[in-house]
Amino acid sequence: MTQIMNDVELKAAVVDELDWTPSVNSAQIGVAVSNGVVTLAGEVGSYPEKRDAERAALRVRGVTAVAEEITVRSIFADVGDVHIAHKASAALEQAVDVPPDQVKVEVHDHTITLSGHVAWQFQRAAAYRSVRFLKGVTDVVNAIIIQPAVSTDDVKDAISTAIVRSAQHEGDGITVVADGDGAVTLTGNVHSWAERRQSEHTAWSARGVTSVTNKLRVHN
């Protein structure tokens, strides 16, 4: 039987995981825990470091959610928005898994906003990956829209089958609902945050999915 950690023990585990993550300066990040929900606060030097800190907290068993309140104080603050926009546009053009001329980029106050239309989630994710490590970037807003291309029943059946097929979990406790616009909702219970995240990733992999609402509850 798995022992459930209290908030004090969970906080210590999250702090240890942040210390263990080489891409994160854990000394700059404060951790608070309430009923399994972790709040991260402080300042970091780059947007990727911010994301790595959040992922590190989510890796800890017993964490049910993460509220991320970290501020990016970029060490490349002298890099202007125009320079970032040029670099982002070039990065999108060089990415072989981003459809040409379908993704637009805007930059304001060091925040990149991606927009446009693609057919698959992996293309949307590829556009995000291509710009997130650029110098001077403090945040990335991915507003790219996925255009649905298949029927509701096909989406639901494909996701349900893929979840059961996954080695991460049995999938018996997960219900998949899809509407005509490609919006998918996952409900039910899973045993870990990794299982919850894998279920969402599986749902996004189906053709025609435009959004995924993950309502899966983590029961340790």
Side-chain angles (χ1 to χ4, degrees), residues 10-11 23 29 41 56 62 72 110 113 120 127-128 133 135 139 142 150 164 166 183 192 198 209:
L10 196 55
K11 176 180 178 180
S23 59
I29 300 175
V72 176
H110 295 254
T113 299
W120 291 86
Y128 165 78
F133 290 122
K135 291 180 179 180
D139 202 0
N142 196 344
V150 295
V164 172
S166 173
S192 68
Q198 177 61 32
V209 172

Side-chain angles (χ1 to χ4, degrees), residues 6-44:
N6 59 38
D7 286 347
V8 174
E9 294 169 327
L10 196 55
K11 176 180 178 180
V14 171
V15 170
D16 287 345
E17 187 64 21
L18 290 171
D19 287 340
W20 182 256
T21 305
S23 59
V24 174
N25 182 358
S26 59
Q28 301 297 318
I29 300 175
V31 179
V33 181
S34 177
N35 296 321
V37 177
V38 175
T39 299
L40 302 177
E43 294 184 355
V44 296

Side-chain angles (χ1 to χ4, degrees), residues 84-98:
I84 294 174
H86 283 304
K87 291 295 185 181
S89 296
L92 290 169
E93 290 177 3
Q94 292 295 319
V96 296
D97 42 3
V98 177

Side-chain angles (χ1 to χ4, degrees), residues 47-183:
Y47 175 70
E49 184 179 359
K50 175 181 173 181
R51 292 276 73 87
D52 288 347
E54 183 179 8
R55 283 193 288 266
L58 289 173
R59 286 196 297 267
V60 177
R61 181 180 295 275
V63 172
T64 58
V66 171
E68 183 268 297
E69 299 178 358
I70 298 173
T71 301
V72 176
R73 300 298 185 200
S74 177
I75 59 175
F76 303 104
D78 57 333
V79 178
D81 287 348
V82 174
H83 178 83
I84 294 174
H86 283 304
K87 291 295 185 181
S89 296
L92 290 169
E93 290 177 3
Q94 292 295 319
V96 296
D97 42 3
V98 177
D101 303 322
Q102 290 186 231
V103 177
K104 298 180 180 179
V105 58
E106 295 181 11
V107 183
H108 176 68
D109 197 21
H110 295 254
T111 295
I112 291 177
T113 299
L114 300 174
S115 61
H117 295 80
V118 295
W120 291 86
Q121 164 60 14
F122 83 84
Q123 296 169 328
R124 184 175 185 269
Y128 165 78
R129 288 195 305 270
S130 69
V131 302
R132 63 177 175 171
F133 290 122
L134 295 177
K135 291 180 179 180
V137 174
T138 59
D139 202 0
V140 179
V141 178
N142 196 344
I144 298 171
I145 296 172
I146 300 172
Q147 296 176 319
V150 295
S151 71
T152 298
D153 289 340
D154 288 343
V155 170
K156 177 181 176 181
D157 292 344
I159 294 172
S160 297
T161 300
I163 287 176
V164 172
R165 187 170 62 239
S166 173
Q168 288 284 341
H169 47 65
E170 296 179 358
D172 294 339
I174 299 175
T175 299
V176 180
V177 176
D179 67 16
D181 294 324

